[in-house]
Amino acid sequence: MAQATSLPTEAEPVRAPAAPDTDAAGLGRVRASAFVTPALVLIGVFLVFPALWTLYLGLTNFRLTGIAAANPKFVGLDNYGTALADPNFLNSLYLTLLYVLGSAIIGQSILGFVLAWTMRAAHKTVRTVVESLVMLAWILPSSVVSFLWIAMLDRDTGTLNVLLNTPGTAWLLEHPMLSIIIFNTWRGTAFSMLLFSAALGSVPPSQLETARMVGASGWQQLRDVVFPHIRGHVLTNVLLISLWTFNDFAPYLITAGGPNHQSEILPIFVYNTAIFDGQLGLGTAISLLMLLINLVLAVVYLRILRKRT
């Protein structure tokens, strides 16, 4: 008698094989972690730990010498209140904003754009020479540039006094803020010039030619054709050089914040407070206030950029 074959009444679901314990590159979690761990250790040692240590120091009366160096006490937000009530801190904040406005926004941005716009129509040889000189000022070390400016502004044998026929004028003593503003403008204009040169290359030549054909002046071409195309580049340039200038320590090499605190911008003020005065806790608190100001500047830039978008 033939044996009946049994047919399955229901199809069994096909189960997918278990996913192997590997990452997208096929290294496996253990080997992938071995590659990532050294980078995480470096970030922790040189970034996370210093940041946490800075936050801690800003809440203590830690000093470089004395009893407070061996046994610092937790003082909470007292350092921040002391800094905000200090006339020297408020003076340094005002000088820093003046320094940023004069050398970064007005100086480097405007001069960099003028150079980039002018060099578009200049002869190739002239453009190469000007760009090389501007780049040379940018790539020279700050110590070398500072020595050159000290020699140029010297009271007795300075080049500027010889050119202007003003013997005996002590520019670094009589006009310290103006001196460091011009110094930083000369030193940092190259970045703005290069950024604006690249931005102007994205402006369609046909639109500029059309504007010229209808009789638009140079200012009208800039306002109605050029600036709408490079507005994002302008905002990026202003943000970057403002942050760099706000945290710039190079003026210390020229004036050391003097005379009588007349050029003591915030980075120099932090250095003098933390190192010379030995108040490391107070200096750390001031540096954190600088960080907050930098964050405010960045947020304002992002809001402006978002409105533009």
Side-chain angles (χ1 to χ4, degrees):
M1 185 175 176
Q3 191 175 9
T5 58
S6 61
L7 295 176
T9 58
E10 222 173 287
E12 296 182 359
V14 179
R15 295 182 178 179
D21 190 18
T22 59
D23 59 357
L27 296 175
R29 293 183 180 177
V30 176
R31 284 181 292 179
S33 300
F35 280 101
V36 175
T37 299
L40 295 178
V41 171
L42 291 176
I43 293 174
V45 172
F46 294 103
L47 185 61
V48 177
F49 174 74
L52 297 177
W53 182 249
T54 301
L55 291 174
Y56 165 73
L57 288 181
L59 300 175
T60 67
N61 65 341
F62 191 88
R63 296 183 63 94
L64 292 178
T65 58
I67 299 177
N71 299 304
K73 295 181 179 179
F74 184 83
V75 296
L77 300 178
D78 289 351
N79 286 330
Y80 298 93
T82 302
L84 294 175
D86 187 358
N88 290 327
F89 169 78
L90 299 178
N91 176 67
S92 294
L93 178 59
Y94 166 75
L95 293 178
T96 304
L97 297 177
L98 181 63
Y99 182 58
V100 172
L101 177 65
S103 66
I105 299 176
I106 297 178
Q108 295 182 36
S109 293
I110 294 180
L111 182 58
F113 179 80
V114 169
L115 287 174
W117 179 258
T118 305
M119 290 301 104
R120 293 173 68 252
H123 190 270
K124 183 178 180 181
T125 303
V126 176
R127 184 167 64 250
T128 302
V129 172
V130 172
E131 290 179 351
S132 300
L133 292 176
V134 175
M135 286 295 297
L136 182 63
W138 193 35
I139 63 177
L140 284 175
S142 297
S143 57
V144 176
V145 176
S146 301
F147 176 80
L148 295 176
W149 275 82
I150 291 174
M152 187 178 72
L153 300 177
D154 185 75
R155 171 186 295 180
D156 300 321
T157 59
T159 306
L160 185 59
N161 282 334
V162 174
L163 294 176
L164 299 179
N165 193 22
T166 54
T169 302
W171 296 96
L172 296 178
L173 297 177
E174 299 176 15
H175 310 283
M177 279 303 299
L178 179 62
S179 298
I180 64 174
I181 285 174
I182 296 176
F183 155 75
N184 191 58
T185 300
W186 180 85
R187 184 171 61 109
T189 301
F191 177 83
S192 297
M193 185 192 70
L194 293 176
L195 190 147
F196 286 134
S197 296
L200 291 174
S202 64
V203 179
S206 59
Q207 296 186 11
L208 287 173
E209 184 63 27
T210 302
R212 282 192 292 266
M213 290 178 62
V214 299
S217 63
W219 166 246
Q220 290 173 332
Q221 295 176 35
L222 288 175
R223 183 191 61 191
D224 300 329
V225 179
V226 175
F227 283 137
H229 283 88
I230 68 171
R231 191 177 304 162
H233 298 82
V234 172
L235 293 175
T236 301
N237 177 76
V238 170
L239 172 69
L240 292 177
I241 64 175
S242 295
L243 295 179
W244 292 340
T245 305
F246 192 90
N247 300 282
D248 186 24
F249 188 72
Y252 181 85
L253 302 175
I254 296 182
T255 63
N260 194 24
H261 307 287
Q262 293 183 34
S263 61
E264 192 179 44
I265 57 178
L266 278 177
I268 301 176
F269 182 70
V270 170
Y271 177 78
N272 289 334
T273 301
I275 304 302
F276 277 117
D277 297 342
Q279 303 180 68
L280 197 59
L282 179 59
T284 302
I286 298 172
S287 67
L288 291 174
L289 291 176
M290 291 179 59
L291 175 61
L292 292 178
I293 297 174
N294 287 328
L295 291 176
V296 170
L297 293 176
V299 169
V300 171
Y301 159 77
L302 292 175
R303 289 182 65 87
I304 294 175
L305 186 62
R306 188 177 298 113
K307 289 180 180 180
R308 171 185 173 273
T309 305

